[in-house]
Amino acid sequence: MNDDLIDLLWKGLLETLYMVFWSSLFALVMGIILGVTLVVTEKGGIYPAPAVNKAIGTIINGVRSLPLIILIVLLLPLSRLIVGTTLGPTAAIVSLSIGAAPFLSRIIENSLKEVSAGKIEAAISVGATPFTIIFRVLIPEALPALVRGITIGIIGIMEFSAVAGAIGAGGLGSLAIRFGYQRFREDVLISTVILIILLVQIFQWSGDSIAKSIVKKRYKFE
Amino acid sequence: MIHIQHLNKSYKTAAGSIPVLQDINLHISKGDIFGIIGFSGAGKSTLIRCLNRLEEPDSGTIRIAGKVITELEEKELRQARQKIGMIFQQFNLLDAKTVYQNVAFPLEVAGYRKAFIREQVRAMLDLVQLSDKEDVYPFQLSGGQKQRVGIARALVNQPDLLLSDEATSALDPQTTYSILELLKEINRQLKLTIVLITHELDVLQHVCNNMAVLEKGRIVETGSVDKFFLYPQSDTAKRFVHIIDHYREKRNVWEGAGAGI
Ligand SMILES: Nc1ncnc2c1ncn2[C@@H]1O[C@H](COP(=O)(O)OP(=O)(O)O)[C@@H](O)[C@H]1O
Ligand SMILES: [Mg+2]
């Protein structure tokens, strides 16, 4: 192992973590807002609004049907507008957040839908407001499923970031392509792949552990 | 206590509008334990869910404790619901909350202080004999214990009325009996009006004073429980009580013939 390999990997790793962290955060905020809105506004939901539901659903499906690479290209002007450039990890955060938000919305929607209608009705029957039901019933009851879903979402963003690397986003993905593919540096290629695999494992393991500890607390026999 | 007048409700499905409740008129007195019996699909759940507007009636009026429930705005309705407790066949406890937190939930919704909540929840858990289960999650409880938590949650905010939709149908006979005893006890202690839905004669006979028979969305018979068993009028009532008559006749035959069982 030579020094330049370590330097390259370290820089790539930091860039990837930077992109994944901020993209996940923004995508999660958008995903939770949209996912909760979808569940709440659906027919028979706690605040039915079919028009809103339909509109959000259509936009989400539209964005999701675009291949990621095309979405990134489409969003380049927006990146320029927000962060002043179309290159580098910060620019990629814009595309990655928007690209991942619809995916996360659906994951969150599905997790929330698992909460039985009966529990919601019990809350309605004691006079709870929709706001209380969302934050005190819906989200806490769905928490293990939410954590699992969000883990899948973050790993997805990690994969997205590697794709974005191909068109100048930086990070491990871009390392693999610039050095491993274009300059035949097999050592870079292989170490990058190992690093990515390790990262995914760590994310998955962390998510699973959190979900498991919640489940264990609620569903254990003494 | 409860006045229902000309209540109608239908469900809109792909096949069109299906009437589920038709011109329901009912009067339930304060302090009564009132049973509503009927076969599956008769509209019992729909009727009881109209009382706290978990279902919206199409037309008609419902008055509970002087309030016209059917005319309330969202916010008033939420306040009215705080004074109408409900228990369910599937208990519907929150898995994420302990027994204490489940029972405290209605009081938190109503915006009471922590100290007051603690006092009320403790008293309620004492009443349903679950004081030792305060910090346990519902998953660890038996069906009967879960329903006791459900009852505590329904009563903690001191409602005027308790609605029970087949609350004992998921329980074995012995547990059913103990839950029914608890309801009777509460009715006596708290002077609480209870409307109870069931398809089991046992339940009706054990706790109810007055009752109504629901048949295909219409009330076909109403009066005291004794009258129902002694002089069933409607088809539904006759079909329910028929088995009892069957054995009464058999007994007469046996006794007439001087035979023992
Ligand atoms: N949400 C609904 N949409 C359409 N039909 C329904 C709905 N809920 C109940 N029904 C129908 O209304 C009728 C009465 O239902 P329900 O009140 O649950 O009866 P019960 O509690 O007496 O068994 C049934 O035929 C049922 O299929
Ligand atoms: Mg029913």
Side-chain angles (χ1 to χ4, degrees):
Chain A
M1 263 223 201
N2 43 28
D3 284 349
D4 87 310
L5 178 62
I6 304 257
D7 279 350
L8 281 174
L9 288 178
W10 180 244
K11 184 161 173 283
L13 177 66
L14 288 183
E15 281 178 356
T16 290
L17 289 177
Y18 169 77
M19 279 190 289
V20 171
F21 177 80
W22 289 106
S23 310
S24 298
L25 194 71
F26 292 133
L28 209 57
V29 170
M30 288 186 270
I32 288 176
I33 293 173
L34 292 174
V36 167
T37 310
L38 279 174
V39 173
V40 168
T41 57
E42 77 177 346
K43 193 169 154 282
I46 51 182
Y47 206 94
V52 176
N53 191 279
K54 190 97 205 260
I56 294 177
T58 308
I59 294 171
I60 285 177
N61 290 345
V63 177
R64 280 194 73 187
S65 61
L66 294 176
L68 181 68
I69 200 96
I70 294 183
L71 188 71
I72 294 174
V73 174
L74 282 176
L75 289 171
L76 286 179
L78 187 64
S79 300
R80 191 187 316 265
L81 193 74
I82 296 177
V83 297
T85 172
T86 61
L87 286 175
T90 308
I93 290 172
V94 176
S95 321
L96 289 177
S97 312
I98 293 175
F103 175 54
L104 269 164
S105 308
R106 287 298 186 199
I107 288 181
I108 287 165
E109 180 193 14
N110 285 332
S111 310
L112 295 176
K113 273 188 178 166
E114 306 251 308
V115 178
S116 76
K119 290 179 183 173
I120 310 284
E121 275 182 354
I124 295 176
S125 78
V126 303
T129 59
F131 184 86
T132 304
I133 295 173
I134 292 169
F135 291 100
R136 304 288 306 280
V137 178
L138 207 49
I139 292 178
E141 288 299 306
L143 206 54
L146 279 174
V147 170
R148 287 207 183 87
I150 289 169
T151 306
I152 293 174
I154 292 176
I155 290 174
I157 289 174
M158 165 94 200
E159 287 161 12
F160 286 1
S161 83
V163 175
I167 55 165
L172 293 172
S174 123
L175 208 57
I177 289 181
R178 279 190 296 132
F179 287 84
Y181 180 67
Q182 289 164 352
R183 294 187 209 166
F184 308 106
R185 284 278 302 268
E186 269 176 28
D187 58 335
V188 179
L189 185 60
I190 291 170
S191 347
T192 316
V193 169
I194 292 175
L195 216 51
I196 292 178
I197 293 177
L198 275 176
L199 272 182
V200 170
Q201 297 294 338
I202 291 172
F203 285 145
Q204 187 67 57
W205 179 83
S206 314
D208 284 349
S209 313
I210 297 173
K212 228 181 253 166
S213 76
I214 299 169
V215 167
K216 218 167 126 188
K217 188 171 138 215
R218 294 178 191 176
Y219 305 102
K220 62 147 194 245
F221 281 113
E222 273 181 344
Chain B
M1 174 75 196
I2 305 178
H3 287 271
I4 304 176
Q5 283 175 315
H6 305 300
L7 183 71
N8 289 285
K9 166 80 185 170
S10 52
Y11 286 116
K12 274 119 206 116
T13 63
S17 172
I18 306 162
V20 178
L21 296 177
Q22 299 182 58
D23 195 31
I24 302 288
N25 294 284
L26 207 56
H27 169 83
I28 297 171
S29 324
K30 191 167 165 49
D32 201 359
I33 304 186
F34 193 93
I36 298 173
I37 198 164
F39 292 111
S40 174
K44 306 181 295 294
S45 295
T46 306
L47 175 56
I48 202 167
R49 290 158 58 84
C50 280
L51 294 182
N52 60 357
R53 274 173 61 191
L54 283 180
E55 298 291 348
E56 283 298 336
D58 296 340
S59 63
T61 52
I62 298 172
R63 256 191 310 140
I64 297 177
K67 275 203 192 92
V68 183
I69 294 290
T70 34
E71 281 174 4
L72 299 179
E73 305 286 331
E74 288 278 329
K75 197 171 168 219
E76 302 164 316
L77 176 60
R78 281 199 291 270
Q79 262 154 18
R81 279 173 177 157
Q82 292 180 7
K83 292 295 171 189
I84 304 175
M86 190 167 200
I87 51 176
F88 307 85
Q89 182 172 358
Q90 297 306 328
F91 322 124
N92 295 340
L93 301 180
L94 302 176
D95 296 346
K97 300 192 192 309
T98 61
V99 166
Y100 180 94
Q101 292 165 338
N102 266 285
V103 179
F105 184 66
L107 295 177
E108 288 167 3
V109 164
Y112 286 106
R113 285 175 300 109
K114 268 214 161 63
F116 178 78
I117 293 178
R118 183 172 303 272
E119 210 174 285
Q120 297 299 308
V121 172
R122 293 257 160 86
M124 220 49 238
L125 287 177
D126 198 37
L127 181 68
V128 299
Q129 295 168 4
L130 282 177
S131 297
D132 56 329
K133 299 285 183 196
E134 219 180 88
D135 296 321
V136 159
Y137 285 86
F139 177 77
Q140 292 184 39
L141 302 175
S142 68
Q145 290 172 328
K146 282 182 190 164
Q147 196 57 290
R148 284 170 188 274
V149 178
I151 291 172
R153 175 175 66 182
L155 297 183
V156 75
N157 202 7
Q158 303 178 345
D160 314 307
L161 171 64
L162 177 68
L163 307 176
S164 162
D165 189 355
E166 305 270 10
T168 56
S169 297
L171 305 174
D172 61 64
Q174 195 136 20
T175 315
T176 294
Y177 180 80
S178 77
I179 293 288
L180 294 179
E181 280 302 310
L182 176 64
L183 290 180
K184 266 163 94 168
E185 178 62 28
I186 287 164
N187 166 259
R188 223 177 3 245
Q189 266 191 36
L190 311 178
K191 308 259 179 292
L192 181 78
T193 311
I194 301 178
V195 176
L196 182 151
I197 276 183
T198 185
H199 63 271
E200 295 167 305
L201 287 181
D202 258 17
V203 172
L204 198 66
Q205 183 265 331
H206 196 82
V207 289
C208 297
N209 307 314
N210 292 296
M211 58 170 299
V213 179
L214 203 58
E215 186 180 299
K216 294 187 189 124
R218 292 178 187 278
I219 289 186
V220 290
E221 191 166 336
T222 157
S224 74
V225 173
D226 290 345
K227 187 176 137 241
F228 168 84
F229 280 101
L230 289 170
Y231 311 107
Q233 301 293 318
S234 59
D235 278 356
T236 297
K238 283 177 186 156
R239 279 168 69 192
F240 267 114
V241 181
H242 150 260
I243 189 111
I244 300 175
D245 285 345
H246 174 75
Y247 280 99
R248 192 180 291 143
E249 270 166 37
K250 224 173 181 170
R251 190 188 61 193
N252 290 343
V253 172
W254 265 331
E255 284 176 353
I261 292 180

